[in-house]
Amino acid sequence: MRYLVTGGAGFIGSNFIRFLFRKYGSDAHVVNLDKLTYAGIRENLAEYEGKKNYRFIHGDITNPADVAEAYSGSIDVVVNFAAETHVDRSLMEAGSFIQTDVHGVLVLLEEARKHAPNLKRFVQISTDEVYGSIERGSFKETDMLNPRNPYSASKAGGDRMAYAYAQTYGLPVIITRASNNFGPWQYPEKLIPLFVTNAIDDLPLPLYGDGRNVRDWLFVEDHCAAIDFLIERGATSEVYNVGGGNERENRDITRRILQMLAKPESLIKPVGDRQGHDRRYSLDTTKLERLGFKCSTNFDDGLRRTVQWYVENEAWWRAIKERSAEFRDYYAKQYGGR
Ligand code: NAD
Ligand code: TYD
């Protein structure tokens, strides 16, 4: 199988490429198209560089020439992870989110049309955030979309554009809406890696609002396995929720991280809330389960593995947190006045 993975230098994309090579070995051929934004780190996949079944292209999904180049080696499956992904950054500047998360999807779909006879699957990686917030109960795939921040609004645009190309041109599109991922290689701006790495250094953990917002947590390897499963078993034009079944309040996760690292709760620093902060995300995953897929990682085991990975890979995250001027500027802007 020949895969075009976009955004493969980021958190989930790099885990997915690793998953493919682990599962299929030299039967998997991967083209990784990535712009290497602040969140893209080519070295995440250094072990595959130079292998004949892996090719890295430094390019932008909004650029038709880069995208044409990426499709050129007769692709069977496209998995689009490339996106601007951080809600807090979308509150500072939303233009790049519209560019990549909406327009970039359009460019990928247009090129897909040219390769339609050979293309078996186009997977658009969407998010549970497109449904918006839910106080009680869980969202089904048929529920209305109600994105409430610039990130999720952009993702909803890409999600529906992919659907439109399935409906209009018969492209073999499926759309996955996953909940919050966690695991190794996650850029340390998101809740879990930020709090783990701050705690290791005895720095404050800036918990927004009352700390009682709820997210459903999905271990990244389970997400990768679900995507692989859906490439085989999913049906064209369909949307699939992918959840971990692990709803937790942020304050509970924060305490658990501190316990695992044997650090005091006094590191928790309540700070001003995120604007328009979605209270709770929750997915009904019956559709995926009925097809025969179940996550296999227990939340506590996944969190322990994640914490352990950050303990053992200090050089990776210190290069970002301490040596990247971009990260330091972002951190000062995001947390400085809170
Ligand atoms: P990430 O921020 O770690 O990585 C994004 C990658 O996309 C980076 O390598 C970046 O360089 C690349 N990229 C950005 N703009 C690009 C462009 N214009 N052209 C080519 N490459 C570009 O993100 P992630 O957490 O790995 O998320 C991957 C996908 O999964 C995204 O589409 C995101 O919306 C979706 N998703 C993420 C989560 C989560 O919890 N992280 C949950 C559900 C869905
Ligand atoms: P995040 O990892 O940014 O994911 P998302 O906003 O896409 O769900 O945030 C997860 C939760 O953690 C969310 O409710 C916001 C909260 N949070 C904090 O309390 N402090 C922080 O510094 C960050 C980054 C997030």
Side-chain angles (χ1 to χ4, degrees):
M1 199 83 103
R2 305 186 73 86
Y3 298 86
L4 167 55
V5 176
T6 64
F11 164 48
I12 309 174
S14 63
N15 274 284
F16 183 68
I17 292 173
R18 228 173 275 114
F19 174 94
L20 290 177
F21 287 141
R22 257 202 323 264
K23 180 162 177 187
Y24 299 111
S26 54
D27 289 340
H29 289 252
V30 176
V31 175
N32 175 7
L33 173 65
D34 199 295
K35 185 179 174 183
L36 301 180
T37 66
Y38 76 89
I41 302 167
R42 183 171 175 172
E43 293 71 32
N44 286 357
L45 293 167
E47 64 196 283
Y48 303 115
E49 296 267 0
K51 298 236 156 67
K52 62 179 189 307
N53 58 337
Y54 176 71
R55 180 177 173 212
F56 179 79
I57 301 178
H58 184 193
D60 187 333
I61 64 163
T62 69
N63 179 345
D66 291 346
V67 170
E69 161 80 9
Y71 274 83
S72 63
S74 116
I75 296 295
D76 301 304
V77 175
V78 178
V79 187
N80 178 31
F81 294 98
E84 290 294 337
T85 62
H86 195 35
V87 172
D88 289 323
R89 289 184 188 252
S90 81
L91 305 180
M92 294 173 180
E93 181 278 316
S96 61
F97 288 73
I98 296 284
Q99 270 306 309
T100 293
D101 303 10
V102 186
H103 184 66
V105 180
L106 175 69
V107 174
L108 287 171
L109 290 163
E110 269 301 308
E111 189 62 27
R113 282 180 68 195
K114 299 182 192 157
H115 300 268
N118 302 323
L119 196 65
K120 295 189 181 66
R121 239 338 131 227
F122 183 111
V123 185
Q124 171 60 17
I125 304 295
S126 187
T127 162
D128 62 354
E129 305 196 20
V130 298
Y131 296 114
S133 190
I134 188 168
E135 290 282 331
R136 268 179 300 280
S138 303
F139 286 119
K140 288 191 172 58
E141 289 84 351
T142 46
D143 282 327
M144 193 181 87
L145 302 192
N146 186 27
R148 298 181 63 255
N149 61 60
Y151 163 67
S152 53
S154 305
K155 289 297 291 184
D159 175 316
R160 290 300 81 192
M161 190 62 79
Y163 179 76
Y165 270 60
Q167 292 292 306
T168 311
Y169 305 113
L171 278 189
V173 167
I174 63 172
I175 296 148
T176 61
R177 294 187 184 141
S179 58
N180 284 61
N181 281 224
F182 69 108
W185 309 94
Q186 187 168 29
Y187 194 83
E189 65 187 353
K190 304 275 176 19
L191 177 77
I192 289 180
L194 177 67
F195 281 17
V196 170
T197 55
N198 275 16
I200 290 171
D201 282 345
D202 297 305
L203 294 171
L205 313 189
L207 190 60
Y208 297 161
D210 63 3
R212 302 197 60 189
N213 298 64
V214 172
R215 298 292 182 263
D216 170 52
W217 293 93
L218 171 64
F219 191 59
V220 65
E221 287 174 15
D222 283 328
H223 188 192
C224 294
I227 296 164
D228 175 59
F229 174 88
L230 284 167
I231 287 170
E232 282 300 316
R233 303 285 298 277
T236 292
S237 267
E238 293 293 317
V239 175
Y240 298 92
N241 287 344
V242 186
N246 300 305
E247 286 180 33
R248 298 281 188 284
E249 288 186 357
N250 294 336
R251 60 178 187 175
D252 293 336
I253 296 209
T254 306
R255 288 192 194 116
R256 200 76 197 92
I257 290 170
L258 291 169
Q259 278 166 6
M260 286 180 180
L261 288 166
K263 297 285 183 173
E265 287 197 9
S266 55
L267 286 179
I268 300 175
K269 183 183 176 206
V271 297
D273 209 354
R274 175 187 280 174
Q275 286 174 294
H277 195 174
D278 286 337
R279 191 63 173 168
R280 174 170 172 262
Y281 296 142
S282 180
L283 288 176
D284 181 325
T285 55
T286 312
K287 187 172 174 181
L288 181 59
E289 277 158 28
R290 286 217 175 110
L291 266 188
F293 182 84
K294 245 187 137 32
C295 291
S296 61
T297 313
N298 154 289
F299 178 73
D300 240 39
D301 291 345
L303 190 59
R304 211 170 291 112
R305 280 174 65 185
T306 305
V307 169
Q308 192 59 28
W309 189 87
Y310 284 90
V311 167
E312 287 168 3
N313 290 276
E314 285 199 12
W316 184 83
W317 56 265
R318 287 197 189 284
I320 298 167
K321 289 184 81 172
E322 292 166 14
R323 292 191 282 289
S324 152
E326 197 285 335
F327 185 89
R328 277 186 276 113
D329 289 350
Y330 163 75
Y331 200 84
K333 202 164 156 200
Q334 176 63 18
Y335 298 101
R338 267 191 149 94

